[in-house]
Amino acid sequence: YFVASTVGGQSPIHPSSLPHGTTIYSTVVCTNGAGLSTWVHSDGLTLLSRPPNSTNVTLLTSSTTYTAYDVMQGFVPGNGSILSWTGFVEPAGTPLLYEVSWEENGEVSSAWISVGFAAQVMRSELNLTEGVASLIQVRAVNLAGQASEPALVLLTMLPNPPLLQSSKISILFK
C-alpha cells in the first residue's frame, strides 16, 4: 500500500494548519500489478475548529392560541407557547443542532437538552412552572460538538385563562 497526501503540491497535510470551514476532499487510487488503475473521490470533510457564533441571536416568543389582549413584555401565555430563535451562525455553513436549558428561582431545572435542528421549542417540552420567572438559555452546537455561547431570555409563563362556559351574556342597563 502507498499513501500520499498533498494540497497544492505541499505534503504532508496537518488539519490544524487549515482554516475553519475548509473542506478536504480525498481521492483513493488503486493500481494492480498489470498497471490498471481505478479511483474513487470522497464527498469531502469540513474542518470545524471553533463553535458557532451567537452574537446576533434573537429570541422570540409566540403563541398558537388566540388572545384578544396584548401580553406584557416578558410574559407568555400558557398553552401553545413557542420560543423560537434566529441568528446563530456557523461560518462553515454546516447544519446546527440546538440545545435548551432553563432555571427557575435561580435553580437549574434542566441540564442542556437537545431540540434537534428545529430553531424552536414548545412550552410543553420545557415543563415550566406557571407564574414563576424562568431564565431560558439556548445554544447552537455544530457537527463537531462545539457549543456557542448561550442566548438568554427571562420569561414568566402566565396561567391559562379561564374558559367561558356559557355563550349567553346578559346586559342590564339602569
Side-chain angles (χ1 to χ4, degrees), residues 3-85:
V3 178
S5 61
T6 62
V7 173
Q10 298 176 2
S11 181
I13 306 166
H14 194 276
S16 65
S17 66
L18 298 173
H20 176 77
T22 299
T23 302
I24 299 172
Y25 299 91
S26 60
T27 302
V28 177
V29 179
C30 296
T31 306
N32 65 15
L36 298 174
S37 299
T38 188
W39 59 88
V40 65
H41 300 284
S42 73
D43 292 333
L45 172 69
T46 302
L47 301 176
L48 302 174
S49 57
R50 61 180 180 262
N53 185 316
S54 64
T55 55
N56 294 318
V57 173
T58 302
L59 297 172
L60 306 167
T61 57
S62 59
S63 178
T64 59
T65 57
Y66 172 76
T67 178
Y69 305 99
D70 289 334
V71 178
M72 290 176 26
Q73 181 66 28
F75 289 81
V76 182
N79 286 341
S81 300
I82 299 171
L83 176 66
S84 60
W85 48 88

Side-chain angles (χ1 to χ4, degrees), residues 142-168:
N142 65 20
L143 297 178
Q146 299 164 325
S148 70
E149 290 295 317
L152 310 172
V153 64
L154 184 64
L155 298 175
T156 300
M157 302 309 291
L158 297 176
N160 291 320
L163 296 174
L164 182 62
Q165 298 296 326
S166 171
S167 61
K168 294 181 182 180

